[in-house]
Amino acid sequence: MMITTAGKPVPAKPLKARKGRMQRKETVAFYILISPWLLGILVFFVFGVGFSLVLSFMQWDLLHPMKFIGIDNFVRMFADTERYFRDPVFFKSLGVTFLWVLLSVPANLIVELFLAVLMNQKLKGIPFYRTVYYLPSVCSAISVNMLWLWIFNYDYGLGNTLLSYLGLPAIHWLTDAKYVLVSFTAMSVWGAGNGALIFLAGLKGISNELYEAADIDGANSVRKFFKITLPMLSPVILFNVVDAVSNAFQTFSTSFIMTSGGPDNMTNFISLLIYNNAFVSRNMGYASALSWVSLVIIVAFTYSIYKSAAKNIYYSVEG
Amino acid sequence: MAKGKNIAFDVFGYFLLAVFAIVFVIPFVWMISSSLKADYEIFTFPPKWIPNVFHWENYANALTAFPFFLYVKNTLYVVLGNIVGTLISSTMAGYAFARLKTPLKNFWFSIVILTMFFPGAVLRIPNYVTWNFLGLVDTLWPLILPAWMGSAFNIFLLRQFFTTIPMEIEESARIEGASRFYIIVRIMVPLIVPVIITVVIFTFRNCWNDFETPLIYLNNRSLYTVSLGLNVFKSKYGVKWSNLMAASVVVALPSVLLYAFLQKYFTEGLLIGGVKG
């Protein structure tokens, strides 16, 4: 049996062999197309993870040869070792990082949901409000940091100006250990527009029939929100929360630029601690150990969020 | 339902929208107002919201006091390098994951997902060591080259979008004898313009904003990117709040303008790649 390709007769190969050859060609094409990515994975991910793990058992400052020190880097986070004193900052750093996550993630979530619901109304001019709410999250984070540094200025900043309008005393927004994380949270909430838009898209995807059916049953707005809106949004909320938690744990530039970890280590987040140990003290081994501990904590935390949320997440059937 | 109740809800809705709009806008107003004030107006309390004279020269001062245009040039090198690199490598990989079949495909794709969510701190130190070994610390290369090796997020986004394009388009081109390369370049790419624009916007913003990576790799001030530069400005001229605000406005402007002009494509691309999944 002859098959013609572009006019030339070609002997037919058995079906299986033809398919095998086609599959091989496809496989080759696949690997060629992913080869840049694959190279990156090998060099920066596989090697990175492996080397980082090895480093965490070493003492190294990039100049002198590496010295194997066993689990000393890990022990020194908790207790004195033969070589090192206990790291006095580690527990505090871990604590304030957790505190920051527990403050900023719920605050952002609530504001994002609220704004999304607000923007979902059938009112005029919504696109304008969408732009207003979203604009802060579009601005360069560094500019935002500088702006809020000025806003939180004790003597002349917007924060204390507004407080004075309300007849309240001025507060040391960034230099008072009691308030600094609250100030950071306020600044972070200013960027809630991003998440709000994602929730808005999710809200728009909720079928109207559900609400209409609830209306027929006589449900009021609050019931509709908790029994329809939230469950239907729950996958998006979960994703958003896990992402926010992961990002919050890795907050770096805000504390580096605005408070340098102070006051009294209240903003010395774990990422800043790692940075200082790696690139200022040149303690590569200890910094690697710290980064692994932080990784385990993030994974454990987000995993437990998934687990505890799983029973509350409603996965709607695609229509 | 009574009509009055409906109107009340609407009015309340407008009220809340407006209140929060004011809350969100005030920092911007403060920023711009401060950027146009003279020093004596900055250091008065209570402050005047609208300065007597608009001191536009604050902007000129800010842009000349620190080598702003040099920093912009450096940042643009990085941004351009990243955009081109990620468009090439991520589109290739995204297409491969969407269209090609191979036994280990799912395994590799799960690696993509893994790297998307993997906390980066663990990798910073070994990667620095790698770049140091290559002698590329204190150059712009560590900021540019990684993009040429794909970005997990962009690969994911592009793969999602490729899967929404019907196979028939490709098949009819294949019948007419087109090579796979021709298919990618001349047929698929024009179809995914919204997603490409989304990738460009995200990449631009990530590079323009990136602070930690330049901080780690750049020591020589003449290589600084805009984000590092603004921080240097703060250290040197911190007390000159008006100029710092002017500089901050300028640094924030490109992202805002990019969003303003490409907004339409951006939301479309996000929706297709993300929420609708």
Side-chain angles (χ1 to χ4, degrees):
Chain A
M1 191 168 77
M2 297 292 212
I3 303 175
T4 48
T5 324
K8 266 196 309 203
V10 165
K13 289 207 172 82
L15 193 64
K16 251 180 123 175
R18 247 189 301 149
K19 277 197 163 170
R21 202 187 58 192
M22 270 172 58
Q23 178 58 65
R24 263 198 306 274
K25 276 170 110 176
E26 202 160 323
T27 301
V28 167
F30 177 81
Y31 282 102
I32 290 179
L33 285 178
I34 68 166
S35 54
W37 172 76
L38 208 53
L39 178 66
I41 289 294
L42 287 172
V43 173
F44 292 112
F45 187 70
V46 174
F47 172 73
V49 167
F51 188 54
S52 166
L53 197 53
V54 165
L55 257 187
S56 57
F57 297 104
M58 303 282 180
Q59 181 188 350
W60 195 36
D61 61 355
L62 279 183
L63 296 170
H64 304 99
M66 275 190 236
K67 196 162 97 170
F68 177 74
I69 57 170
I71 57 168
D72 244 25
N73 281 328
F74 293 97
V75 177
R76 91 184 250 205
M77 297 178 203
F78 307 100
D80 290 340
T81 73
E82 267 180 27
R83 223 174 257 109
Y84 302 114
F85 287 114
R86 185 177 75 88
D87 184 354
V89 183
F90 174 69
F91 274 128
K92 180 94 190 250
S93 174
L94 211 54
V96 298
T97 311
F98 264 106
L99 190 55
W100 162 240
V101 170
L102 292 172
L103 267 178
S104 66
V105 173
N108 268 291
L109 184 65
I110 293 173
V111 173
E112 285 167 4
L113 275 175
F114 181 75
L115 287 179
V117 167
L118 219 55
M119 290 190 279
N120 199 25
Q121 300 171 95
K122 293 177 192 52
L123 297 174
K124 286 203 283 276
I126 296 278
F128 165 75
Y129 291 106
R130 238 180 30 209
T131 311
V132 168
Y133 299 143
Y134 189 60
L135 208 54
S137 46
V138 175
C139 291
S140 167
I142 316 299
S143 300
V144 171
N145 286 335
M146 298 304 172
L147 168 62
W148 285 83
L149 252 183
W150 173 221
I151 289 179
F152 288 140
N153 181 280
Y154 181 73
D155 299 299
Y156 306 106
L158 177 66
N160 285 335
T161 303
L162 291 179
L163 284 184
S164 76
Y165 290 164
L166 297 171
L168 295 168
I171 62 181
H172 291 272
W173 300 90
L174 293 176
T175 48
D176 187 337
K178 292 195 300 291
Y179 292 120
V180 67
L181 285 181
V182 174
S183 310
F184 271 24
T185 304
M187 182 177 75
S188 140
V189 165
W190 195 50
N194 202 344
L197 282 192
I198 295 179
F199 283 142
L200 181 62
L203 283 176
K204 295 220 179 282
I206 301 178
S207 157
N208 254 325
E209 297 168 351
L210 292 168
Y211 291 116
E212 281 159 21
D215 277 336
I216 293 175
D217 288 342
N220 66 22
S221 305
V222 174
R223 268 188 84 99
K224 279 192 279 186
F225 182 74
F226 282 102
K227 293 286 184 184
I228 300 178
T229 313
L230 279 189
M232 293 302 283
L233 267 187
S234 51
V236 183
I237 294 180
L238 177 65
F239 182 82
N240 186 300
V241 166
V242 170
D243 192 46
V245 164
S246 177
N247 283 334
F249 264 112
Q250 300 178 71
T251 306
F252 173 79
S253 52
T254 310
S255 54
F256 182 89
I257 293 175
M258 294 178 76
T259 51
S260 303
D264 188 33
N265 284 315
M266 278 306 281
T267 58
N268 196 358
F269 301 136
I270 208 86
S271 54
L272 187 60
L273 188 67
I274 295 172
Y275 172 83
N276 280 327
N277 271 293
F279 298 107
V280 176
S281 315
R282 294 279 166 175
N283 225 321
M284 294 295 179
Y286 182 53
S288 292
L290 281 174
S291 65
W292 274 98
V293 169
S294 123
L295 175 79
V296 168
I297 289 177
I298 295 178
V299 169
F301 200 70
T302 51
Y303 180 72
S304 60
I305 292 178
Y306 259 121
K307 266 320 203 41
S308 64
K311 31 185 170 28
N312 293 324
I313 301 301
Y314 176 81
Y315 289 103
S316 61
V317 179
E318 292 286 301
Chain B
M1 245 196 229
K3 196 152 179 236
K5 205 168 164 197
N6 269 336
I7 294 180
F9 273 136
D10 281 0
V11 166
F12 187 58
Y14 278 119
F15 173 71
L16 284 178
L17 278 172
V19 162
F20 276 88
I22 293 176
V23 168
F24 270 71
V25 158
I26 284 187
F28 280 123
V29 173
W30 177 257
M31 188 179 193
I32 298 184
S33 145
S34 302
S35 70
L36 294 170
K37 284 182 179 169
D39 277 348
Y40 74 90
E41 289 172 307
I42 292 269
F43 295 112
T44 51
F45 187 86
K48 256 170 97 118
W49 282 83
I50 303 180
N52 291 328
V53 177
F54 281 18
H55 289 267
W56 295 103
E57 70 270 14
N58 286 339
Y59 282 86
N61 289 340
L63 297 183
T64 50
F66 75 132
F68 177 73
F69 293 106
L70 172 66
Y71 296 152
V72 169
K73 185 177 70 128
N74 293 333
T75 315
L76 285 179
Y77 278 144
V78 174
V79 165
L80 230 54
N82 269 273
I83 288 179
V84 174
T86 197
L87 278 180
I88 294 179
S89 58
S90 301
T91 310
M92 278 166 58
Y95 177 80
F97 279 115
R99 282 287 185 254
L100 300 179
K101 289 194 253 316
T102 187
L104 285 176
K105 182 169 82 159
N106 284 333
F107 166 72
W108 291 121
F109 195 64
S110 54
I111 304 270
V112 172
I113 309 270
L114 173 67
T115 54
M116 224 163 87
F117 295 110
F118 196 80
V122 165
L123 298 171
R124 287 209 183 277
I125 296 163
N127 287 344
Y128 179 82
V129 172
T130 305
W131 290 112
N132 194 23
F133 173 75
L134 293 171
L136 291 177
V137 167
D138 213 14
T139 70
L140 290 178
W141 290 113
L143 277 61
I144 299 179
L145 287 180
W148 288 78
M149 293 181 269
S151 134
F153 179 76
N154 290 329
I155 292 177
F156 183 79
L157 201 66
L158 282 158
R159 182 257 193 190
Q160 293 300 91
F161 196 85
F162 275 126
T163 53
T164 66
I165 297 179
M167 288 291 304
E168 291 77 46
I169 298 180
E170 244 186 294
E171 257 140 38
S172 52
R174 194 90 54 81
I175 289 175
E176 290 171 37
S179 76
R180 215 174 259 286
F181 180 72
Y182 180 87
I183 293 177
I184 295 180
V185 173
R186 302 303 292 277
I187 299 180
M188 300 291 253
V189 169
L191 286 176
I192 63 169
V193 162
V195 184
I196 286 195
I197 293 187
T198 306
V199 168
V200 168
I201 295 182
F202 274 139
T203 309
F204 181 90
R205 267 165 60 175
N206 287 340
C207 289
W208 192 263
N209 281 344
D210 195 6
F211 183 78
E212 198 172 351
T213 316
L215 180 70
I216 293 176
Y217 290 107
L218 301 175
N219 299 315
N220 189 343
R221 284 220 179 145
S222 65
L223 286 176
Y224 272 11
T225 58
V226 154
S227 50
L228 285 185
L230 191 58
N231 196 36
V232 169
F233 185 89
K234 181 206 78 172
S235 316
K236 280 175 81 174
Y237 301 103
V239 194
K240 275 201 153 299
W241 291 108
S242 56
N243 289 8
L244 183 61
M245 286 302 106
S248 300
V249 168
V250 175
V251 170
L253 220 46
S255 295
V256 173
L257 290 176
L258 198 67
Y259 167 72
F261 284 125
L262 298 177
Q263 192 194 117
K264 189 165 56 115
Y265 298 105
F266 175 67
T267 39
E268 199 182 308
L270 240 187
L271 279 177
I272 292 167
V275 179
K276 283 195 188 149

Coordinates of all heavy atoms in Angstrom, one line a residue, chain A residues 28 63 85 130 148 168 191 204 222 236 239 310:
Chain A
V28 N 11.1 14.5 21.6 CA 12.3 15.3 21.3 C 11.9 16.8 21.3 O 12.6 17.6 21.9 CB 13.0 14.9 20.0 CG1 14.0 15.9 19.6 CG2 13.6 13.5 20.2
L63 N 35.2 33.0 52.0 CA 36.6 33.2 51.7 C 37.4 32.0 52.1 O 38.2 31.5 51.4 CB 37.1 34.5 52.5 CG 36.5 35.8 52.0 CD1 36.9 36.9 53.0 CD2 37.0 36.1 50.6
F85 N 27.3 31.0 71.0 CA 26.2 31.3 71.9 C 24.9 31.2 71.2 O 24.8 31.3 70.0 CB 26.4 32.7 72.5 CG 27.5 32.9 73.4 CD1 28.6 33.7 73.1 CD2 27.5 32.2 74.6 CE1 29.7 33.8 74.0 CE2 28.5 32.4 75.5 CZ 29.6 33.1 75.2
R130 N -13.0 51.1 41.0 CA -12.1 50.0 40.8 C -10.7 50.5 40.6 O -9.7 50.0 41.2 CB -12.5 49.2 39.6 CG -12.7 47.7 39.9 CD -13.1 46.9 38.7 NE -12.7 47.3 37.5 CZ -13.3 47.1 36.3 NH1 -14.5 46.5 36.4 NH2 -12.9 47.4 35.2
W148 N 5.0 56.0 52.9 CA 4.5 55.7 54.2 C 5.5 56.0 55.3 O 5.1 56.3 56.4 CB 4.0 54.2 54.3 CG 2.7 54.1 53.6 CD1 2.5 53.9 52.3 CD2 1.4 54.1 54.2 NE1 1.1 53.8 52.0 CE2 0.5 53.9 53.1 CE3 0.9 54.3 55.5 CZ2 -0.9 53.9 53.4 CZ3 -0.4 54.3 55.7 CH2 -1.3 54.1 54.7
L168 N -6.8 63.2 68.8 CA -6.1 62.2 69.4 C -4.6 62.5 69.5 O -4.1 63.3 68.7 CB -6.3 60.9 68.6 CG -7.7 60.3 68.6 CD1 -7.8 59.2 67.6 CD2 -8.1 59.8 70.0
G191 N -2.8 48.3 49.9 CA -2.6 47.6 48.6 C -3.6 46.4 48.4 O -3.4 45.5 47.6
K204 N -18.3 37.6 40.5 CA -19.1 37.7 39.3 C -19.3 36.3 38.7 O -20.2 36.2 37.9 CB -18.3 38.6 38.3 CG -18.2 40.0 38.7 CD -18.4 41.0 37.6 CE -18.4 42.4 38.1 NZ -19.6 42.9 38.7
V222 N -27.6 39.1 54.8 CA -26.5 38.5 55.6 C -26.5 36.9 55.4 O -25.4 36.3 55.2 CB -26.7 38.8 57.1 CG1 -25.7 38.1 58.0 CG2 -26.6 40.3 57.3
V236 N -11.3 30.3 46.0 CA -10.5 31.5 45.7 C -9.9 32.1 47.0 O -8.8 32.5 47.1 CB -11.3 32.6 45.0 CG1 -10.5 33.8 44.7 CG2 -12.0 32.0 43.8
F239 N -7.0 29.9 48.2 CA -5.8 30.2 47.4 C -5.1 31.5 47.8 O -3.9 31.7 48.0 CB -6.1 30.2 45.9 CG -4.9 30.4 45.1 CD1 -4.1 29.3 44.8 CD2 -4.6 31.7 44.6 CE1 -3.0 29.5 43.9 CE2 -3.5 31.8 43.8 CZ -2.7 30.8 43.5
A310 N -10.0 22.4 54.4 CA -10.5 21.4 53.4 C -12.0 21.1 53.6 O -12.8 21.0 52.7 CB -9.7 20.2 53.4

